[in-house]
Amino acid sequence: MPKNYTRVQTVISFLFLFLTPLALAKAISSYQNPFNFLENPLIWIGLIAFGLVVLAKEMLTITGVAKIEKAEMIKAGINPEEVDHWAWAKKLINKWTEAKAIEEEGEIVLDHNYDGIKELDNNLPPWWVYMFYATIIFAVVYLVKYEMMGAPNQDMEYAQSVAQAKRELAAFRSTSKEAIIDAETVTILTDESDLNRGKAVYNLNCAACHIADGGGGIGPNLTDEYWILGGGIKNVFTTITNGGRDGKGMVAWGKTLKPKDIQKVASYIMGMQGTTPAKPKPPQGELYKDETQEVKEEIIEQVKDSVQ
């Protein structure tokens, strides 16, 4: 009966350890976010339960083996209490440190003696020596690979990663139904609904420092042609997103506002150009002239010259 019970227990244990991982793998693959505890708590319950069962089984196995070893020692006339179970660890430590026992220090004592303080001629620990050799090998491999064979270093790998990210972003933009808005792709919006949304965002977040009519308060005047960090929709979008000057500029609204809303409020601010606020603040920064406008003026002049 005990043998049959042991066999049945072994079969059940094998089936559990073999089939449970398959069931968990099937369950994990059937969910979109399997490891989200709030969405799929049963996955985590199953994993934890499986881990606890395996741990309990191993603990029982270790305990059983220890009892068998103890019984064998008693049968052989050895007292289990006198056996040093950590002898293997002590032997390993001694091998990797080559430390001498106190009673053996007389073999390595030197003639140096100062006020009773003696010096021992200990060898360098093998673990330290091997690590030193490993650093030499690493230095040689590094020198040959990166300095002589021209393998990509960190700067090159960074440049390659950035280039790859740009290619992936360009591919995504070409297939995405919704355009990605950033400082490179942002354009001025002229639709009334977009400008109304921009005005609402401005009044809520910007008017406290720039005044509702854009004349400037704590922040600079937004109605003149002078800009501290550059004018134009791209510069204004970048300034709103990343914030003003370090230590004394406005906060980075890119952490709070969505790119769409930043585009709308930037477009609304661009619409303030040339308006007359009630109490305009003196100009700050440098006079900014849109580069596209310069190009247009240049083309017009060329056309006039060609006609004449």
Side-chain angles (χ1 to χ4, degrees):
M1 184 67 180
K3 291 183 178 180
N4 293 334
Y5 176 78
T6 302
R7 290 175 182 174
V8 172
Q9 185 181 27
T10 302
V11 171
I12 294 174
S13 176
F14 172 77
L15 292 175
F16 176 80
L17 295 177
F18 180 75
L19 296 177
T20 302
L22 297 178
L24 288 172
K26 180 65 175 177
I28 291 172
S29 63
S30 62
Y31 292 103
Q32 185 175 3
N33 298 312
F35 298 109
N36 188 318
F37 181 78
L38 297 178
E39 293 183 6
N40 306 299
L42 292 178
I43 296 292
W44 281 100
I45 293 174
L47 290 172
I48 294 173
F50 178 72
L52 291 175
V53 170
V54 172
L55 179 62
K57 182 180 181 302
E58 292 302 318
M59 293 298 295
L60 289 174
T61 301
I62 293 172
T63 303
V65 171
K67 289 183 178 179
I68 293 173
E69 291 178 349
K70 186 176 181 179
E72 292 292 334
M73 290 179 186
I74 295 174
K75 186 177 179 181
I78 301 173
N79 185 2
E81 303 296 333
E82 298 177 354
V83 176
D84 187 2
H85 297 285
W86 294 99
W88 63 272
K90 295 176 181 177
K91 183 178 179 180
L92 181 65
I93 293 174
N94 185 62
K95 179 180 179 181
W96 281 90
T97 59
E98 291 187 356
K100 289 284 186 179
I102 296 178
E103 54 272 13
E104 298 176 352
E105 286 184 350
E107 301 174 6
I108 57 174
V109 67
L110 298 176
D111 294 335
H112 303 165
N113 190 328
Y114 186 80
D115 278 350
I117 300 175
K118 297 181 180 181
E119 183 179 356
L120 301 178
D121 187 19
N122 283 308
N123 293 328
L124 287 172
W127 66 266
W128 189 95
V129 175
Y130 295 148
M131 287 185 64
F132 178 68
Y133 291 154
T135 59
I136 296 175
I137 296 172
F138 175 83
V140 172
V141 173
Y142 187 93
L143 177 66
V144 173
K145 182 177 181 180
Y146 291 99
E147 300 298 331
M148 299 177 63
M149 301 181 64
N153 55 28
Q154 291 182 338
D155 292 335
M156 296 169 64
E157 289 177 352
Y158 173 77
Q160 293 172 0
S161 299
V162 171
Q164 177 65 22
K166 288 182 178 179
R167 289 193 294 269
E168 293 176 357
L169 182 59
F172 176 78
R173 283 174 175 166
S174 63
T175 58
S176 177
K177 296 180 180 179
E178 186 174 350
I180 297 177
I181 303 171
D182 56 21
E184 296 180 0
T185 61
V186 65
T187 56
I188 296 179
L189 302 174
T190 57
D191 188 77
E192 184 178 357
S193 61
D194 292 331
L195 295 178
N196 287 337
R197 172 62 181 173
K199 180 179 180 180
V201 174
Y202 177 88
N203 290 333
L204 180 63
N205 301 289
C206 312
C209 295
H210 295 282
I211 309 302
D213 60 7
I218 299 175
N221 186 346
L222 300 177
T223 64
D224 56 32
E225 296 181 350
Y226 290 82
W227 297 87
I228 297 174
L229 297 175
I233 186 64
K234 296 184 183 297
N235 288 325
V236 173
F237 181 91
T238 301
T239 302
I240 297 173
T241 303
N242 301 330
R245 295 166 294 176
D246 293 337
K248 54 183 177 180
M250 70 177 182
V251 299
W253 289 102
K255 301 177 181 178
T256 306
L257 300 176
K258 297 179 180 179
K260 285 184 177 180
D261 285 338
I262 295 178
Q263 181 186 24
K264 292 173 183 178
V265 71
S267 299
Y268 176 76
I269 290 173
M270 295 305 300
M272 289 182 172
Q273 292 288 284
T275 60
T276 306
K279 296 180 179 179
K281 193 175 180 180
Q284 293 176 271
E286 298 179 358
L287 180 65
Y288 179 83
K289 193 172 184 180
D290 194 349
E291 296 178 357
T292 58
Q293 184 63 31
E294 292 179 356
V295 174
K296 290 179 182 178
E297 292 176 358
E298 183 179 355
I299 294 174
I300 291 173
E301 292 297 327
Q302 291 178 356
V303 171
K304 286 182 180 179
D305 292 342
S306 63
V307 172
Q308 293 176 355

